[in-house]
Amino acid sequence: MARTQGSHSGITGPRVRAAALQLFAQHGYAAVSMRQIAREVGVQAGALYNYTPDKQSLLFDLMQTHMTELLAAREHSPRGATPTEALEHFTRLHLRFHSERPDEVFIAYMELRNLTPENFAKIEELRRSYEDGLETILRAGVNSRDFEVNDPKIAAMAVIAMLTGVNTWFREGGRLSLTEVEQIYWDMVRKAVGA
Amino acid sequence: MARTQGSHSGITGPRVRAAALQLFAQHGYAAVSMRQIAREVGVQAGALYNYTPDKQSLLFDLMQTHMTELLAAREHSPRGATPTEALEHFTRLHLRFHSERPDEVFIAYMELRNLTPENFAKIEELRRSYEDGLETILRAGVNSRDFEVNDPKIAAMAVIAMLTGVNTWFREGGRLSLTEVEQIYWDMVRKAVGA
DNA sequence: CAGTTATCTGAACATGCGTTCGTTTAAAAC
DNA sequence: GTTTTAAACGAACGCATGTTCAGATAACTG
């Protein structure tokens, strides 16, 4: 099913990114070769360089796109009238967004060390921005006495770590539905911050 | 300072494991070559094969040792008279043990996919055994009405994910001492399970 | 239908990989 | 002080790596 020369598919670009995403998530960036990605797409290795300047950019683009979409999803999601409501929205959005993108999440957490220092700094800034969003909600809740949180910065990290951990075991069609998982985790998060 | 031929150091074996640990944690298993490990030890690549049959065994040994020591630490730690006490011991032990071994923890969570299927199965069994320990505590607490937990298995995963997340930011000598971190996290865990 | 252009091939490049092995060395054993 | 032996060297193995590029091809343009 090898693609023939000269064919203007117009969809090879997305297919390259999709193949890289899946392979990086499964085997790790360093363990995946450009030839493997090319084989998955049905093309020779050289053809990949019509769509990415190099392997590093392929990784960076995947991570940047993921983080940007995460932040965009936050902006387009309801704010919540109270800190408790805002925290519930954050929790549910995080679970939903991450469960829909297991490969992206895996890469975003596992492949940071394979970014060049410059690329790493850019991704870290996006991540910090996301964490700050949660921290802001927690601080607001502490001020309004809705929450009982000792250290909002650490609580934000703890909550995100807990929520992201879902991706290590959750599979659509398993014992629990996403809705049930959301409820269970929102319960634990709410209690953990004393709301 | 290259080690000369024929020197019976008797300590090269541990040095090989230490170098592999540090390099695997920093760059990832797939990105580290046997020659890099050898250079770190001060030896030629071929000499490593006096201490490990191959690269894969090096990784597996590091992970197996880590998990075995974790389970051993659990066994030698106090049981706790009540479920709440048991959970507090678990929480504090986890934080203390993991904060002392950042490299081992990183590898144990990141390099699972680089294990052969047989080695992966062995490590997974050790991990499951650890998770089961926490799940047992949670079930006991639910039965005794000390805890309010919807789904003990998921709560166990959630708590472990939250606690292990500490390793992404905690550094000795930072803003908070380990003792303070323990207290903050025990607070959140206790509340999250409704104790 | 001819000309242009985007797309892909396939070979090549230098470099690095994990692993093996005959040889050399220096410490240990007697 | 000689023999033994564990430990390390250093070259070699076949193969894979990321990337480049001249040449071939097929779809689009006029």
Side-chain angles (χ1 to χ4, degrees):
Chain A
M1 190 64 69
R3 182 163 299 275
T4 52
Q5 256 174 266
S7 77
H8 293 204
S9 67
I11 56 161
T12 307
R15 297 229 297 145
V16 168
R17 280 189 292 277
L21 177 70
Q22 192 259 312
L23 288 169
F24 287 168
Q26 188 169 4
H27 305 292
Y29 173 78
V32 171
S33 72
M34 295 299 269
R35 284 170 180 83
Q36 279 175 63
I37 297 172
R39 196 181 315 133
E40 188 83 4
V41 177
V43 110
Q44 293 292 334
L48 299 181
Y49 291 84
N50 291 321
Y51 303 98
T52 180
D54 47 38
K55 194 186 175 191
Q56 168 72 203
S57 302
L58 212 40
L59 175 62
F60 175 67
D61 285 350
L62 291 172
M63 293 175 90
Q64 192 181 40
T65 300
H66 173 66
M67 291 307 296
T68 303
E69 285 179 1
L70 174 59
L71 291 172
R74 276 271 299 151
E75 284 193 17
H76 298 114
S77 106
R79 289 271 160 271
T82 64
T84 303
E85 267 183 39
L87 183 59
E88 180 169 1
H89 283 142
F90 182 95
T91 300
R92 292 184 183 276
L93 175 68
H94 185 102
L95 289 171
R96 216 172 315 119
F97 188 91
H98 282 64
S99 74
E100 283 168 2
R101 295 163 177 80
D103 285 347
E104 284 89 340
V105 172
F106 208 68
I107 289 176
Y109 278 80
M110 306 280 271
E111 302 296 354
L112 285 167
R113 61 185 164 185
N114 286 310
L115 292 171
T116 62
E118 307 80 44
N119 287 342
F120 178 79
K122 289 177 196 161
I123 298 295
E124 269 301 289
E125 195 187 318
L126 294 172
R127 180 195 308 286
R128 188 163 37 253
S129 161
Y130 183 67
E131 289 169 359
D132 284 352
L134 175 54
E135 191 185 332
T136 301
I137 293 174
L138 294 179
R139 284 193 193 286
V142 169
N143 288 338
S144 65
R145 299 190 198 279
D146 286 307
F147 301 160
E148 265 183 42
V149 167
N150 208 309
D151 188 309
K153 186 171 280 303
I154 281 163
M157 306 279 249
V159 166
I160 289 175
M162 181 169 131
L163 295 178
T164 305
V166 172
N167 268 54
T168 63
W169 57 267
F170 179 75
R171 296 293 175 270
E172 206 103 35
R175 178 165 68 90
L176 296 169
S177 73
L178 180 56
T179 310
E180 291 169 320
V181 171
E182 274 184 35
Q183 194 56 51
I184 291 172
Y185 271 81
W186 165 232
D187 238 54
M188 286 192 286
V189 168
R190 185 179 47 74
K191 288 181 191 161
V193 302
Chain B
M1 191 63 67
R3 183 163 299 275
T4 53
Q5 256 174 268
S7 76
H8 293 204
S9 66
I11 56 160
T12 307
R15 297 229 298 146
V16 168
R17 281 189 291 277
L21 177 70
Q22 193 258 313
L23 288 170
F24 288 167
Q26 188 169 4
H27 305 293
Y29 173 77
V32 172
S33 71
M34 294 299 270
R35 284 170 179 81
Q36 278 176 65
I37 298 172
R39 196 180 315 130
E40 188 82 5
V41 176
V43 112
Q44 293 292 334
L48 299 181
Y49 291 84
N50 291 320
Y51 303 98
T52 181
D54 47 39
K55 194 186 175 191
Q56 167 73 203
S57 302
L58 212 41
L59 176 62
F60 175 67
D61 285 350
L62 290 172
M63 294 175 93
Q64 191 181 40
T65 299
H66 174 66
M67 291 307 296
T68 303
E69 285 179 1
L70 174 59
L71 291 171
R74 276 272 299 150
E75 284 195 16
H76 298 115
S77 106
R79 289 270 160 271
T82 65
T84 304
E85 269 184 39
L87 183 59
E88 180 169 1
H89 284 143
F90 182 96
T91 300
R92 292 186 184 273
L93 175 68
H94 185 102
L95 289 171
R96 216 170 316 120
F97 189 91
H98 283 63
S99 74
E100 284 168 1
R101 295 164 177 79
D103 286 346
E104 284 90 339
V105 172
F106 208 69
I107 290 176
Y109 278 80
M110 306 280 269
E111 302 297 354
L112 285 168
R113 62 185 165 188
N114 286 310
L115 291 171
T116 62
E118 307 80 44
N119 287 342
F120 177 79
K122 288 178 198 163
I123 299 295
E124 269 302 289
E125 196 188 317
L126 294 173
R127 181 194 310 285
R128 188 163 38 253
S129 160
Y130 184 66
E131 289 169 359
D132 284 352
L134 175 55
E135 192 185 332
T136 301
I137 293 174
L138 294 179
R139 284 194 194 284
V142 169
N143 288 338
S144 65
R145 300 190 196 281
D146 286 308
F147 301 161
E148 265 183 43
V149 168
N150 208 309
D151 188 310
K153 186 171 280 302
I154 281 163
M157 306 279 248
V159 166
I160 288 175
M162 179 169 134
L163 296 178
T164 305
V166 172
N167 268 54
T168 61
W169 57 266
F170 179 75
R171 296 294 174 269
E172 205 104 35
R175 178 165 67 88
L176 297 169
S177 72
L178 180 56
T179 309
E180 289 169 320
V181 172
E182 275 184 36
Q183 193 57 49
I184 291 171
Y185 272 80
W186 165 233
D187 239 52
M188 286 192 287
V189 169
R190 186 179 47 74
K191 287 180 191 161
V193 302

